[in-house]
């Protein structure tokens, strides 16, 4: 029942945000186009639930030719590959807004482990693969617990924890924490995880 309610909430929230703020999305698209060369959207194949590949949508925040990334290495706020408007979009998380289309299509959820690059699957063991038992999300437990300031192993632990302990109450807490993260920054929550990382001893994430 909780999963059915979660899907209904996903569809409702996605429609409301997309429609209500449509003028804002058009304005962002114009800013991206006039401040840097390249397309408005960044589209890339990502693995979803049960490793099903789908195309994820984002507002483009990086300069053309910056797509090559190192597995497990996040783009930091001072990365010179980020465009001028891209810095604001990433800080405010507004670059993720187009993924609401993925949510409407059922490929993603509002809350869930962030979708990684396909190349990352090469490093997955059976324990890490559990993060793919649920739909990836716009925001997740790792994203509100330090995110880019966390070790990759700890982010995986949090993703697996979410996949194994999903509840609507946990989703609500993650959504409200996400608002705080947007307002105050990811670095403010490095030591304020919603769950105790030291207690996550199950599995062999290494």
């Amino acid at each position: 029942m909780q999963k059915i309610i979660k899907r209904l909430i996903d569809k409702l929230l996605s429609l409301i945000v997309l429609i209500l703020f449509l003028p804002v999305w058009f304005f962002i698209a114009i800013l991206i186009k006039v401040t840097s060369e390249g397309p408005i959207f960044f589209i890339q194949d990502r693995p979803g639930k049960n490793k099903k590949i789908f195309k994820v949508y984002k507002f483009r925040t990086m300069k053309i030719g910056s797509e090559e990334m190192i597995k497990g290495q996040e783009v930091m706020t001072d990365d010179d590959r980020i465009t001028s408007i891209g810095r604001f979009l990433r800080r405010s998380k507004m670059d993720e807004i187009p993924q609401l289309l993925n949510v409407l299509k059922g490929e993603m959820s509002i809350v869930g482990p962030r979708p990684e690059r396909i190349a990352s699957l090469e490093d997955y063991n059976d324990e890490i693969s559990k993060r793919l038992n649920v739909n990836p999300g716009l925001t997740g437990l790792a994203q509100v617990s330090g995110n880019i300031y966390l070790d990759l192993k700890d982010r995986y632990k949090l993703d697996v924890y979410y996949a194994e302990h999903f509840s609507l109450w946990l989703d609500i807490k993650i959504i409200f924490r996400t608002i705080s993260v947007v307002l105050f920054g990811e670095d403010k929550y490095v030591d304020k995880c919603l769950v105790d990382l030291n207690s996550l001893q199950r599995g062999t994430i290494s």
Side-chain angles (χ1 to χ4, degrees):
M1 178 59 73
Q2 286 198 90
K3 291 183 179 180
I4 294 175
I5 296 174
K6 178 182 174 73
R7 179 61 188 144
L8 290 175
I9 292 173
D10 281 344
K11 294 175 70 173
L12 182 61
L13 284 181
S14 299
L15 281 172
I16 290 174
V17 174
L18 284 172
I19 295 174
L20 206 59
F21 294 94
L22 193 58
V24 178
W25 314 144
F26 274 121
F27 182 63
I28 289 174
I30 293 172
L31 284 178
I32 292 172
K33 200 64 182 176
V34 301
T35 56
S36 64
E37 295 182 357
I40 293 171
F41 298 104
F42 173 73
I43 303 173
Q44 189 177 62
D45 288 341
R46 298 286 175 94
K49 184 178 180 180
N50 299 323
K51 296 185 180 181
K52 183 177 180 181
I53 306 301
F54 71 100
K55 293 189 181 299
V56 70
Y57 311 116
K58 297 181 66 174
F59 282 126
R60 182 176 59 84
T61 61
M62 302 185 75
K63 300 170 185 175
I64 296 302
S66 302
E67 296 85 1
E68 190 65 32
M69 303 296 295
I70 299 174
K71 288 183 289 185
Q73 182 174 316
E74 294 288 341
V75 178
M76 304 305 286
T77 55
D78 59 350
D79 196 308
D80 60 9
R81 294 173 298 175
I82 302 175
T83 63
S84 54
I85 184 64
R87 204 169 303 281
F88 165 74
L89 293 177
R90 296 178 78 93
R91 172 64 180 81
S92 63
K93 307 299 182 184
M94 294 180 75
D95 61 319
E96 313 286 358
I97 289 300
Q99 289 169 35
L100 290 172
L101 296 173
N102 293 118
V103 176
L104 284 175
K105 292 166 67 177
E107 298 165 332
M108 291 182 64
S109 179
I110 299 295
V111 179
R114 287 295 296 155
E116 293 200 304
R117 292 167 182 78
I118 293 177
S120 297
L121 294 177
E122 300 172 4
D123 300 325
Y124 280 24
N125 56 27
D126 290 341
E127 183 69 11
I128 298 174
S129 294
K130 292 177 182 178
R131 72 189 300 276
L132 300 175
N133 291 341
V134 295
N135 273 342
L138 286 172
T139 184
L141 189 55
Q143 283 61 54
V144 299
S145 303
N147 197 21
I148 62 176
Y149 299 96
L150 288 177
D151 181 87
L152 179 60
K153 181 172 64 175
D154 287 338
R155 294 206 300 271
Y156 282 154
K157 282 183 180 180
L158 290 166
D159 289 341
V160 171
Y161 178 93
Y162 176 83
E164 294 186 326
H165 299 84
F166 156 73
S167 71
L168 291 176
W169 177 236
L170 180 57
D171 275 14
I172 291 170
K173 290 195 290 185
I174 290 172
I175 290 173
F176 276 98
R177 173 65 73 85
T178 298
I179 297 172
S180 296
V181 168
V182 170
L183 291 175
F184 304 112
E186 293 177 340
D187 57 317
K188 301 296 189 298
Y189 294 92
V190 175
D191 298 317
K192 297 179 182 178
C193 184
L194 287 176
V195 298
D196 183 7
L197 268 178
N198 295 323
S199 68
L200 307 184
Q201 298 299 326
R202 286 191 57 193
T204 55
I205 295 180
S206 59

